[in-house]
Amino acid sequence: MYEWKTIAGKKQPYFIHSDADFLSAAGIYVPVKTGDDWNVRFAIITREARDASGEIHDRMPAFLTPDLWDAWLSPTELEDPAETLDMLLSSSEQVASTITT
């Protein structure tokens, strides 16, 4: 992914990556009916930036490790929101430690 930083009035792109095949970010979405049409609204969940990402920007996506993909995509209701937040923070820090610019 790319993140932009303004340096001396000009925007500089930084390629943020890791050795992993994918960088997966947690997101949420909601379908919204407007008249006869359905639209999907979504957001990427962000958090305070860590490691190399923090050198470029003050926030970063809440990254997911591959072992959490199924749990995150599960359509079931959250049993313990605090546990889910802890899961996001832990996995995000794990992935952030592998990121370079």
Side-chain angles (χ1 to χ4, degrees):
M1 73 180 175
Y2 282 91
E3 185 61 66
W4 296 80
K5 185 175 184 178
T6 302
I7 301 174
K10 294 184 179 183
K11 289 200 170 199
Q12 170 70 41
Y14 286 86
F15 179 51
I16 298 173
H17 60 283
S18 80
D19 290 336
D21 291 334
F22 297 99
L23 283 176
S24 300
I28 55 174
Y29 77 96
V30 61
V32 177
K33 189 170 185 176
T34 308
D36 292 334
D37 297 325
W38 283 93
N39 296 300
V40 176
R41 297 197 175 130
F42 70 94
I44 295 173
I45 298 172
T46 60
R47 56 158 296 165
E48 179 183 345
R50 304 288 296 226
D51 302 313
S53 294
E55 297 172 11
I56 308 302
H57 203 282
D58 62 340
R59 67 181 189 279
M60 68 179 192
F63 293 112
L64 295 169
T65 53
D67 61 312
L68 296 177
W69 293 351
D70 287 340
W72 184 258
L73 294 172
S74 173
T76 58
E77 188 172 323
L78 296 177
E79 291 180 24
D80 184 355
E83 184 178 305
T84 302
L85 181 58
D86 289 343
M87 174 192 71
L88 280 177
L89 292 175
S90 176
S91 70
S92 189
E93 288 178 5
Q94 184 179 342
V95 173
S97 71
T98 69
I99 290 177
T100 58
T101 58

